[in-house]
Amino acid sequence: MSDPSYHRTTERVAPRDQFAYWRDAISDAYVPLEPERDSALGFAGRIDGLMLPALRSSTITAQAHEVRLSASGLARRGGSPFFVNLLRDGEAGVPQDGQTLPARPGDVYVVDCDSPWQVNFRRGFSMFCIEIDDALLRPRLGRRGRLASPVLGGDSGTGRILASYMRLVHELPPDDLLQVQSLMVGHCSELLSRAQQAEPPEARARRVRHETLERILALVHRRLQDPQLTPESACAELGISRSYLLKILAEGGHSFSGSLRGCRPD
């Protein structure tokens, strides 16, 4: 087979072109991502990847910046894989349910390329990434096919086992990985799905209520100028009952009419 390795570095790129080079490098290696940063100065980043038929993995080292997959990136993507990332150094902020979950060295965080996401690397970082195909993992995530939490602590439970297993994958020589690539990615997928299923029922119920509230408020924002927006039309679009909509709003300190007044300009 041809050389399965993939290497990109800004080291020999002119400082003024380094971040533009980085944008192209990560989009070429993964999906159409949109990195952003505050500084216009030079940028240091490196990707060392191994693109086997059944296992695509890479080590990424870079300076602080933000990475996002937008709606336009989703439209251009070729598939909707999951990227499972073992953070080795640095810190990442991973948004979920209106809050930012921190990922620290030793933790595993996951991004699902079926919907927009963003990750903020607050300082220089290094991580090991494994790509898992949508068809392999999503059916294992339950009826909704969604992650319960994008961040798994690497110091306890299944998160610790997954982090240890990813270190093993990272340390194996390419020739050894070639022989067991399907097995390794399958094990990572199974460990990740089990970690997601370990969410306590109470926590899951809170998360679902919060997700529903976010969907309601997003719908209100999107249809502010629509004269046909009523609790009934909102329920029809969201697929929930009127009583459940009003209950979720009340739990969050909202009412339907109050949400409209709060969103519309004076």
Side-chain angles (χ1 to χ4, degrees), residues 19 23 35-41 43 64-66 120-121:
F19 199 64
R23 285 194 188 97
E36 297 180 0
R37 67 189 301 240
D38 295 331
S39 174
L41 301 177
F43 180 83
H65 67 291
E66 184 176 280
N120 181 19
F121 296 101

Side-chain angles (χ1 to χ4, degrees), residues 71-122:
S72 62
L74 282 171
R76 303 194 310 273
R77 78 190 190 279
S80 51
F82 295 84
F83 289 99
V84 186
N85 308 283
L86 171 63
L87 195 62
R88 303 170 65 201
D89 190 27
E91 182 177 346
V94 186
Q96 185 194 39
D97 298 343
Q99 58 182 320
T100 299
L101 304 179
R104 300 185 174 89
D107 292 344
V108 175
Y109 79 88
V110 188
V111 292
D112 178 359
C113 294
D114 189 55
S115 56
W117 54 261
Q118 65 183 51
V119 175
N120 181 19
F121 296 101
R122 296 162 179 163

Side-chain angles (χ1 to χ4, degrees), residues 220-243:
V220 170
H221 278 278
R222 189 176 69 252
R223 295 181 56 188
L224 275 180
Q225 307 306 318
D226 183 357
Q228 304 302 316
L229 177 58
T230 63
E232 288 73 21
S233 67
C235 290
E237 182 171 335
L238 295 168
I240 60 177
S241 68
R242 188 176 191 277
S243 60

